[in-house]
């Protein structure tokens, strides 16, 4: 495995998480080959667009969703395919009256990668669920530090209004800018 292959794999894994958390289907699907096969350990089996169709409505009901990958191990299998195993933590926050319930899942993405158009993409994904925990937090205790009145607050956005889009692409993704330009 080369440094460039490692970089492409780590970038694709991060793009997938970012796309799911920002509800940016284009970014989330960019990690996958067109015919990728996904098996999310008992909750979904099918292709990547079908997974997005399944997961979007579920995540939209939440107050917040955060996905993080770490410990990315990459090697070649006996057939010569690049395989990665990455640890994923997902935080799914829902409101329950005056509290938040945080469901935290710990698992692993086991991915087989293929080269498509000079980039690596996931051809096959298996998700292994290792552990799920839940904790309740009063809604008024949800911030680590109280905001200062004289400082502009950057609130998390679950769409293209998130602060990251301004710095990455101006005000929005390039493919959306044409749609937003005045006629």
């Amino acid at each position: 495995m080369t440094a460039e292959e490692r970089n492409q794999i780590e970038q694709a894994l991060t793009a997938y998480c970012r796309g799911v958390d920002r509800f940016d289907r284009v970014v989330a699907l960019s990690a996958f080959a067109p015919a990728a096969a996904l098996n999310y350990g008992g909750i979904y089996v099918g292709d990547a667009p079908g997974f997005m169709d399944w997961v979007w409505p579920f995540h939209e009901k939440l107050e917040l969703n955060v996905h993080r990958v770490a410990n990315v191990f990459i090697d070649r299998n006996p057939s010569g395919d690049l395989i990665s195993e990455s640890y994923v933590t997902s935080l799914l926050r829902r409101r329950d009256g005056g509290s938040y319930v945080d469901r935290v899942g710990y698992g692993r993405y086991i991915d087989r990668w293929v080269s498509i158009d000079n980039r690596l993409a996931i051809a096959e994904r298996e998700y292994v669920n290792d552990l799920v925990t839940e904790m309740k937090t009063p809604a008024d205790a949800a911030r680590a530090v109280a905001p200062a009145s004289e400082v502009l607050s950057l609130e998390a956005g679950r769409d293209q209004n998130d602060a990251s889009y301004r710095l990455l692409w101006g005000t929005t993704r390039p493919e959306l800018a044409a749609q937003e330009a005045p006629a």
Side-chain angles (χ1 to χ4, degrees):
M1 167 192 47
T2 67
E4 179 58 23
E5 288 169 330
R6 170 171 282 287
N7 180 55
Q8 286 187 34
I9 287 171
E10 290 178 348
Q11 282 292 97
L13 291 167
T14 304
Y16 166 75
C17 291
R18 184 176 188 281
V20 170
D21 291 342
R22 299 281 75 76
F23 287 95
D24 191 326
R25 188 179 176 101
V26 172
V27 172
L29 288 173
S30 71
F32 297 95
L38 285 63
N39 179 352
Y40 272 73
I43 60 173
Y44 177 83
V45 174
D47 62 12
F51 180 73
M52 296 305 153
D53 293 342
W54 177 84
V55 80
W56 246 237
F58 173 73
H59 280 62
E60 284 175 329
K61 295 175 187 171
L62 300 170
E63 295 286 322
L64 175 72
N65 50 284
V66 177
H67 294 75
R68 295 207 172 122
V69 291
N71 298 350
V72 180
F73 175 80
I74 306 167
D75 206 350
R76 291 195 184 273
N77 68 12
S79 299
D81 297 324
L82 281 169
I83 307 296
S84 66
E85 177 186 40
S86 50
Y87 286 68
V88 61
T89 304
S90 62
L91 168 72
L92 308 177
R93 172 172 279 182
R94 69 181 188 276
R95 188 173 283 279
D96 183 15
S99 299
Y100 291 118
V101 177
D102 292 340
R103 176 173 277 211
V104 182
Y106 302 91
R108 291 169 285 134
Y109 295 140
I110 303 167
D111 298 318
R112 183 174 60 83
W113 297 83
V114 294
S115 182
I116 297 176
D117 299 328
N118 296 318
R119 70 176 181 88
L120 291 173
I122 299 167
E124 186 176 354
R125 166 168 282 176
E126 292 183 350
Y127 170 73
V128 177
N129 180 25
D130 290 325
L131 174 69
V132 175
T133 64
E134 274 195 357
M135 51 199 136
K136 202 169 209 176
T137 305
D140 61 356
R143 290 188 70 111
V145 177
S149 60
E150 66 277 2
V151 178
L152 176 65
S153 179
L154 295 175
E155 297 298 324
R158 297 174 70 209
D159 57 19
Q160 284 80 36
N161 292 316
D162 184 75
S164 63
Y165 283 85
R166 183 182 67 78
L167 293 179
L168 285 169
W169 293 295
T171 59
T172 188
R173 289 196 336 249
E175 63 271 19
L176 297 177
Q179 297 170 12
E180 295 172 352

